[in-house]
């Protein structure tokens, strides 16, 4: 006769979630302590009685549960009699490489346009001064060449009808874009900055564009001719077009406009600028002077200055959490609450990059992607600050033409297409990220 | 009866005279009581007993003792011995403790010195005083004893210690160790005996026949051991040690001939020798890792400079190009070939001040003033105005025939050069190795070490004018720097750094770093401290208020130091770059308080540059604000560290 094995110790676990559609009763359940993520996920699936199993991930004490419950209890010095609160979320599937678009030069910025129903279009700005529009199958739909120096930032304008580019020639250029006929026509040249324009922000609710420049100013520009912007300062007009650079073939002169306002306040090069997620009249900017500044765009005033420890190289807004994520040149990402009542302390620090964090992009409610000069794109979950990055996306297609796979990544965007990134390896790389509800983990 | 023997003895026979003496020898006379004779004479004839009186005579004799009677019978004759009067008198005197006979105790006095006072004495010296006062010498001796008693060195009436037995205990342990003394070095101990010295060692220790033979054939001096292990079944079978004397002798020779030195043990806690320094973790930020590698130069990158706005980095290298890079991305933004036929760019330096962007680059004898076309039109026109303002002035000066020939010629570049960004070419007579801008940006100094008395030239931008400030050469000049805010010029020769006051035109101070060959130096933004790097691996910190000698010398590099730099943007950091491929970062805090010395903490060694042809890092420069460090390497790369 078989002897009964020793009964496994159990612990009371309370499962909570922030998603109402997958909520389970909040009463604590006795769960064997030797369970890991997979076992706990099965329990939740059982409780929810889902037709097909959905993988879940579990958060405990600000980090993903990666060991058994038993090890978690011993690590945190908890007794088996205490009630453990586990937050569960839909598990995220690792991003899968989908495509890479080869460029002639380094890719400095990427932006996707995903109109509903239509095939998404990817805009990339390159160091050769040309902005290209790609369709998802890797064909160049349109090219916008006119910049006399490298493009550092390129964005779709809100309605998807145009693009705005800016770069080392200190100008912003507005283009109208018609993907069907692959026609890009320059609309306007915006002058005002005295140094490289490093970052652009476009607000979908208004007709404003924000630009951050190395001359430590933030430019506020208008996209529509309905509100006529002031003419540019005459001293900033280029004396003559450079002969070496390939200029636009159009003989018609492009109208030149000045800025609605140049916001001064930064004491070092500004590196990033973003609109607030909820209020179109509030903008945030960050710079090498270690500060994150809040601007009131209605009055063009500096509202608040937050000083961090290191030069900030990138920033993004996490709209649902009212947080700002700032990537520093000192290899980490800090989370700040920009609201006036919040304390000065950073809400969290995400460590993992081994070089400057060059770009940040929010994806979903709690997720975020970051591009680093260490050649990786990392995916973070803001809820699990202690876990480090959730996934690390490396450069694909290394080995060709002297590409080592450790080239800097300059730009990242996380949209419906997936994680789109571009960098020193002259490629735009697309990694698919099926969201938790759609994704099916092979284990289950 | 035998005839009387005539012994025919000579008269020297002592006994011969004693004719008729008794010859019985040393036996008591009682033996002859029963015989009529008392012995024999020399002839063997009986000596007859003397006739004795009647018993009455004897009685009478006992009553009336005759004078001189002794009661002693002469052995030889058998007669009673009688003493003479003289003899009796002597006996009496002996008995009475009187003087012996013949000695007169009362002889008349014979005076040795006459008691009479002479009229003419031999010495008329008066009686000395010391005859009447107590003796000082005695008092001294007595005081010595008294002192010894008081000190306890002499203990009066000290009980005698019981005498120690004077025999020697050969079985006793070793003598108690002698008290430690500087002159006493104990003899080294012999090693204790091992197993093979046992009287009955285990078999494996016993030599085989071959070993024994080899040992015996070996020269006694070469033998590893002086003995062969031998086995004895019992201790009592062990024979005497025949080599004892020799062994003792050898040991004595060893002790006598071997020099013995006392080794002083340092009883110092090593921790206590280390200075109390703050932890590097508390002194952040400082650069720790490579952030960007600037690739593009062919051959060594010799020099670099970060522009005043902190966005661009200019480098110059062996390929004769000057390149401008975007700092964080490492993108080459602009480049120009200035060195003809492979002449290296020795130095690039941005002009301080943000209103204009001028890059000075030196290759060979020429210094190029360049305005890279990467700046906005406003800055560019300001730069052009600044650089071309002096052409008119130069024309005026040329007309003055009395003026000495200037050390450099200012010429306009060709139109192609103008298009590429070169605004002015200054041609000197020797290779320019270093450029230092004055903080206002109107003057800059160049150094051409081969130029002797014209090694240093100061160029004025606004007047297109060059002058050499020194009339005679004081050694091979390595570097010059302007004081950060005073009108002083620091000139480093191979051995010394001289500080000149440019306003008063006089020598203020001569610093003596004490190194053989100074490679570079930098002045602290506070102006009172400077660091000196030398080709003899030393990094020296000078506090000018303290002394002309270095305040601190740091020898942490394995190879020559090529460059030293202070952070000029407010962080208390400095660094040194060396041919061993390393850059060392230090925390160097200077206090405003004059009483407090500068705090120097080594923070980090940055490794990354490869050493090529025994050249490592050739130049370093700090970013103007951040704790970012740029370094130029012989491996063809420049690096950004943060």
């Amino acid at each position: 006769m078989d002897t009964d094995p020793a009964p496994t110790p159990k612990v009371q676990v309370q499962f909570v979630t922030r998603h109402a559609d997958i909520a389970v009763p909040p009463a604590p359940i006795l769960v064997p302590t030797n369970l890991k993520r997979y076992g706990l996920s099965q329990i939740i699936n059982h409780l929810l009685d889902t037709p097909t199993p959905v993988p879940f991930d579990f958060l405990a004490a600000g980090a993903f549960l990666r060991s058994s419950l038993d090890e978690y209890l011993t690590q945190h010095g908890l007794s088996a009699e205490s009630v453990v609160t586990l937050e569960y979320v839909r598990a995220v599937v690792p991003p899968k490489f989908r495509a890479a678009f080869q460029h002639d030069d380094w890719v400095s910025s990427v932006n996707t346009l995903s109109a509903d129903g239509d095939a998404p279009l990817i805009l990339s700005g390159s160091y050769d001064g040309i902005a290209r529009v790609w369709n998802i199958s890797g064909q160049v739909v349109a090219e916008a060449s006119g910049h006399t120096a490298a493009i550092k930032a390129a964005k779709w304008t809100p309605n998807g009808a145009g693009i705005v580019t800016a770069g080392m020639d200190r100008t912003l250029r507005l283009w109208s874009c018609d993907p069907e006929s692959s026609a890009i026509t320059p609309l306007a040249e915006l002058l005002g900055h005295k140094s490289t324009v490093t970052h652009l922000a476009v607000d979908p609710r208004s007709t404003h564009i924000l630009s951050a420049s190395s001359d430590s100013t933030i430019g506020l520009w208008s996209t529509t001719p309905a509100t006529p912007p002031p003419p540019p300062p005459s001293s900033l007009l280029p004396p003559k077009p450079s002969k070496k650079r390939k200029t636009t073939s159009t003989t018609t002169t492009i109208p030149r406009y000045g800025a609605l306002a140049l916001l001064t306040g930064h004491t070092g090069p500004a590196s990033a600028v973003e609109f607030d997620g909820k209020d179109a009249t509030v903008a945030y900017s960050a710079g090498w002077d270690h500060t994150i500044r809040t601007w009131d765009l209605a009055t063009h005033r500096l509202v608040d200055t937050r000083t961090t420890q290191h030069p900030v190289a990138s920033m993004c807004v996490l709209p649902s959490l009212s947080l700002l994520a700032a990537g520093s040149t000192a290899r980490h990402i800090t989370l700040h609450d920009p609201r006036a009542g919040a304390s000065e302390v950073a809400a969290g620090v995400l460590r993992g990059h081994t070089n400057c964090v060059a770009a940040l992009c929010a994806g979903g409610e709690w997720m975020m992607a970051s591009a680093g000069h260490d050649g990786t794109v990392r995916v973070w979950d803001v809820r699990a600050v202690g876990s480090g990055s959730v996934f690390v996306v490396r450069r694909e297609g290394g080995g060709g033409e002297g590409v080592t796979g450790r080239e800097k990544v300059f730009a990242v965007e996380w949209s419906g297409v997936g994680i789109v990134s571009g960098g020193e390896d002259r490629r735009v790389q697309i990694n698919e990220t099926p969201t938790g509800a759609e994704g099916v983990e092979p284990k289950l | 009866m035998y005839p009387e023997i005539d012994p025919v003895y000579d008269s020297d026979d002592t006994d011969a005279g004693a004719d008729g003496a008794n010859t019985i020898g040393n036996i008591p006379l009682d033996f002859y009581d029963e015989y009529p004779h008392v012995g024999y004479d020399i002839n063997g004839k009986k000596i007859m007993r003397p006739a004795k009186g009647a018993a009455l005579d004897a009685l009478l004799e006992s009553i009336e003792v005759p004078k001189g009677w002794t009661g002693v019978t002469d052995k030889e004759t058998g007669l009673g011995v009688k003493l003479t009067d003289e003899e009796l008198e002597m006996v009496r005197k002996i008995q009475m403790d009187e003087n012996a006979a013949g000695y007169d105790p009362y002889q008349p006095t014979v005076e040795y010195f006459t008691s009479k006072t002479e009229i003419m004495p031999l010495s008329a010296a008066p009686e000395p005083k010391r005859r009447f006062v107590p003796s000082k010498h005695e008092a001294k001796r007595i005081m010595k004893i008294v002192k010894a008693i008081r000190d306890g060195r002499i203990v009066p009436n000290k009980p005698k210690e019981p005498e120690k037995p004077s025999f020697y205990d050969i079985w006793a342990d070793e003598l108690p160790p002698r008290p430690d003394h500087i002159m006493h070095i104990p003899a080294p101990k012999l090693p204790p005996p091992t197993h093979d010295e046992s009287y009955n060692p285990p078999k494996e220790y016993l030599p085989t026949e071959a070993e024994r033979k080899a040992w015996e054939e070996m020269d006694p001096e070469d033998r590893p051991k002086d003995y062969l292990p031998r086995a004895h079944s019992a201790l009592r079978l062990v024979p005497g040690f025949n080599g004892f004397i020799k062994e003792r002798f050898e040991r004595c020779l060893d002790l006598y001939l071997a020099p013995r030195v006392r080794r002083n043990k340092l009883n110092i806690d090593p921790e206590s020798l280390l200075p109390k320094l703050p932890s590097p973790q508390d002194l952040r930020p400082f650069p720790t890792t490579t952030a960007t590698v600037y690739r593009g130069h062919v051959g060594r990158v010799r020099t670099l400079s970060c522009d005043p706005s902190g966005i661009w980095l200019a480098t110059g290298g062996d390929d004769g190009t000057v390149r401008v890079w975007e700092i964080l991305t490492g993108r080459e933004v602009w480049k120009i070939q200035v060195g003809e036929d492979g002449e290296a760019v020795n130095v690039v330096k941005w002009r301080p001040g943000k209103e204009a962007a001028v890059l000075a680059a030196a290759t060979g004898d020429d210094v190029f003033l360049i305005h890279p076309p990467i700046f906005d039109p406003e800055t560019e026109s300001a730069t052009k105005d600044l650089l071309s303002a002096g052409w008119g002035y130069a024309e005026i000066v040329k007309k003055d025939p009395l003026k000495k020939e200037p050390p450099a010629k200012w010429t306009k570049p060709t139109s192609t050069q103008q298009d590429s960004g070169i605004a002015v070419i200054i041609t000197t007579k020797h290779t320019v190795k270093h450029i230092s801008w004055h903080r206002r940006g109107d003057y800059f100094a160049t150094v051409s070490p081969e130029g002797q008395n014209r090694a240093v030239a100061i160029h004025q931008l606004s007047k297109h004018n060059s002058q050499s400030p020194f009339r005679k050469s004081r050694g091979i000049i390595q570097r010059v720097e302007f004081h950060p805010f005073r009108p002083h010029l620091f000139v480093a020769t191979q051995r010394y750094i001289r500080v000149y006051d440019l306003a008063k035109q006089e020598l203020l101070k001569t610093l003596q770093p004490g190194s053989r060959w100074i490679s570079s130096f930098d002045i602290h933004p506070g102006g009172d401290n400077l660091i000196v790097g030398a080709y003899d691996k030393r990094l020296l910190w000078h506090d000018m208020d303290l002394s002309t000698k270095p305040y601190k010398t740091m020898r942490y590099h394995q190879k020559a130091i090529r460059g030293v730099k202070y952070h000029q943007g407010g962080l208390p950091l400095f660094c040194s770059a060396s041919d061993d491929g390393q850059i060392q970062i230090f925390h160097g805090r200077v206090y405003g308080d004059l009483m407090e010395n500068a705090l120097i903490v080594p923070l980090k060694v940055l490794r990354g540059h490869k050493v090529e042809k025994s050249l490592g890092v050739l130049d370093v420069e700090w970013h103007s604000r951040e704790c970012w460090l740029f370094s130029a390497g012989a491996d063809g790369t420049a690096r950004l560290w943060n």
Side-chain angles (χ1 to χ4, degrees), chain A residues 15-25 44-45 47-50 54-57 87-91 383 436-437:
Chain A
F15 291 103
V16 293
T17 186
R18 302 189 206 195
H19 302 275
D21 53 332
I22 51 167
V24 296
I44 299 292
N45 273 302
L47 286 172
L48 289 175
D49 198 17
T50 47
V54 177
F56 290 102
D57 225 332
E87 185 187 344
Y88 62 97
V89 294
R90 288 195 182 91
R383 292 165 295 193

Side-chain angles (χ1 to χ4, degrees), chain B residues 381-448:
Chain B
S381 64
T383 309
K384 279 180 179 163
D385 292 348
L386 178 84
L387 291 175
S388 58
W391 291 121
Y393 185 84
E395 299 294 313
I396 299 162
V397 173
K398 260 182 199 159
K399 286 170 189 162
D400 190 353
L402 293 173
K403 200 95 174 178
K404 251 175 46 180
E405 199 196 350
K409 221 190 284 172
W410 294 59
T411 48
K412 272 185 182 160
T414 61
S415 60
T416 48
Q417 280 176 321
Q418 272 180 352
D419 282 350
S420 61
I422 297 173
V424 180
I425 301 174
I426 306 165
T427 312
T428 62
K429 297 193 170 56
H430 301 278
T431 309
V432 174
K433 290 280 189 186
H434 183 68
I435 293 176
S436 173
W437 281 93
H438 186 256
R439 69 179 186 285
R440 295 242 172 81
D442 194 21
Y443 293 94
F444 67 96
T446 57
V447 181
S448 9

Side-chain angles (χ1 to χ4, degrees), chain A residues 105-106 127 152 168 170 194-196 214 235-239 268-269 288 290 311 313 329 331 355-356 373 408 410, chain B residues 285 288-293 309-312 326-331 333 374-378 623 625-626 628 642:
Chain A
D105 209 335
W106 298 1
Y127 269 79
K152 295 282 281 185
M168 281 193 188
R170 304 170 292 279
K194 293 184 180 177
S195 188
T196 308
S214 290
S235 64
L236 286 178
L237 295 176
W288 287 10
H290 303 200
T329 60
R331 301 171 285 277
N355 208 335
C356 172
H373 282 183
K408 303 180 190 80
F410 294 134
Chain B
T288 50
T289 52
T290 304
T292 311
V293 182
S309 63
I311 307 168
W312 312 109
E326 203 182 12
I327 279 180
L328 272 187
T329 55
R331 170 81 181 189
V333 184
I374 51 169
F375 293 93
D376 60 300
E378 213 172 70
H623 188 266
R625 286 181 304 272
E626 304 300 335
W628 295 348
N642 75 0

Side-chain angles (χ1 to χ4, degrees), chain A residues 37-399:
Chain A
R37 186 205 67 82
Y38 180 67
L40 292 168
S41 184
Q42 279 179 318
I43 290 174
I44 299 292
N45 273 302
H46 179 73
L47 286 172
L48 289 175
D49 198 17
T50 47
T52 51
V54 177
F56 290 102
D57 225 332
F58 295 87
L59 286 156
F64 281 115
L65 187 71
R66 288 286 175 260
S67 57
S68 68
L69 270 176
D70 199 15
E71 283 165 44
Y72 168 76
L73 291 175
T74 43
Q75 265 175 18
H76 289 77
L78 299 173
S79 79
E81 289 168 19
S82 56
V83 179
V84 179
T85 309
L86 287 180
E87 185 187 344
Y88 62 97
V89 294
R90 288 195 182 91
V92 188
V93 182
K96 204 171 72 187
F97 174 69
R98 179 167 171 186
F101 305 156
Q102 185 74 36
H103 286 64
D104 296 340
D105 209 335
W106 298 1
V107 179
S108 59
S109 68
V110 290
N111 198 2
T112 55
L113 175 75
S114 48
D116 358 293
D118 291 350
L121 291 171
I122 296 161
L123 170 69
S124 72
S126 169
Y127 269 79
D128 57 4
I130 300 171
R132 294 176 179 84
V133 179
W134 305 75
N135 62 17
I136 198 70
S137 52
Q139 287 153 334
V140 180
V141 176
E143 277 191 8
S145 58
H147 277 285
T148 57
I151 290 179
K152 295 282 281 185
K155 281 262 156 85
W156 289 100
T157 43
N159 45 14
I163 56 178
V164 57
T165 58
M168 281 193 188
D169 61 354
R170 304 170 292 279
T171 60
L172 281 75
R173 278 167 195 258
L174 283 169
W175 314 77
S176 72
C177 176
D178 185 9
E180 263 92 71
S181 59
S182 73
I184 284 188
T185 47
L187 286 180
E189 192 176 352
L190 307 177
L191 289 98
H193 282 303
K194 293 184 180 177
S195 188
T196 308
V197 181
T198 51
H199 197 246
L200 289 172
V202 176
D203 184 43
R205 295 153 293 189
S206 64
T207 56
H208 287 166
I209 301 170
L210 279 172
S211 65
S213 166
S214 290
D215 63 359
S216 73
T217 57
I218 304 296
L220 177 64
W221 318 82
S222 169
T223 58
T224 50
T227 50
S234 58
S235 64
L236 286 178
L237 295 176
K240 54 182 177 180
S242 173
K243 287 166 194 161
K244 284 180 186 173
R245 289 279 174 187
K246 187 166 55 168
T247 49
T248 45
S249 54
T250 51
T251 49
T252 55
T253 51
I254 314 157
R256 288 180 169 137
Y257 298 116
L260 292 178
L262 281 175
L263 311 173
T264 54
H266 278 289
T267 57
S271 56
V273 65
E274 289 287 348
F275 282 98
D276 185 77
K278 287 160 187 162
D279 187 357
T281 62
V282 174
Y284 307 106
S285 71
W288 287 10
D289 57 352
H290 303 200
T291 57
I292 297 170
R293 291 171 198 259
T294 310
W295 306 89
D296 182 5
L297 297 182
T299 58
H300 305 162
R301 263 189 336 107
L302 174 65
V303 175
D304 189 27
T305 302
R306 296 288 163 94
T307 307
T308 65
Q309 298 288 315
H310 299 282
V312 182
S314 56
M315 188 176 64
C316 78
V317 178
L318 301 170
S320 60
L321 302 174
S322 300
L323 281 180
L324 287 179
S328 77
T329 60
R331 301 171 285 277
H332 54 253
I333 302 163
T334 48
L335 301 174
H336 294 269
D337 194 338
R339 290 171 293 190
S343 62
E344 289 288 320
V345 188
V349 180
L350 306 171
R351 291 173 201 279
H353 274 294
T354 57
N355 208 335
C356 172
V357 182
L360 284 168
C361 185
E365 214 172 346
W366 283 284
M367 305 294 275
M368 184 168 62
S370 70
H373 282 183
D374 54 356
T376 59
V377 171
R378 284 165 196 262
V379 178
W380 310 85
D381 192 323
V382 178
R383 292 165 295 193
V385 170
S387 290
S389 55
V390 183
F391 302 117
V392 179
V393 182
R394 300 189 186 281
R395 304 308 283 173
E396 297 287 338

Side-chain angles (χ1 to χ4, degrees), chain B residues 145-189:
Chain B
I145 295 166
V146 168
K147 204 149 180 275
I149 291 170
R150 282 185 188 152
D151 289 355
R153 277 179 281 126
I154 297 175
V155 182
N157 306 325
K158 192 166 133 189
K160 266 192 180 177
E161 283 178 22
E163 256 182 49
K164 278 180 184 168
S166 57
F167 36 78
Y168 174 66
D169 181 8
I170 62 166
W171 303 113
D173 286 336
E174 260 186 296
L175 287 173
R178 279 169 65 158
D180 199 23
H181 189 264
I182 194 78
M183 291 309 290
H184 171 66
I185 302 169
K189 280 178 182 161

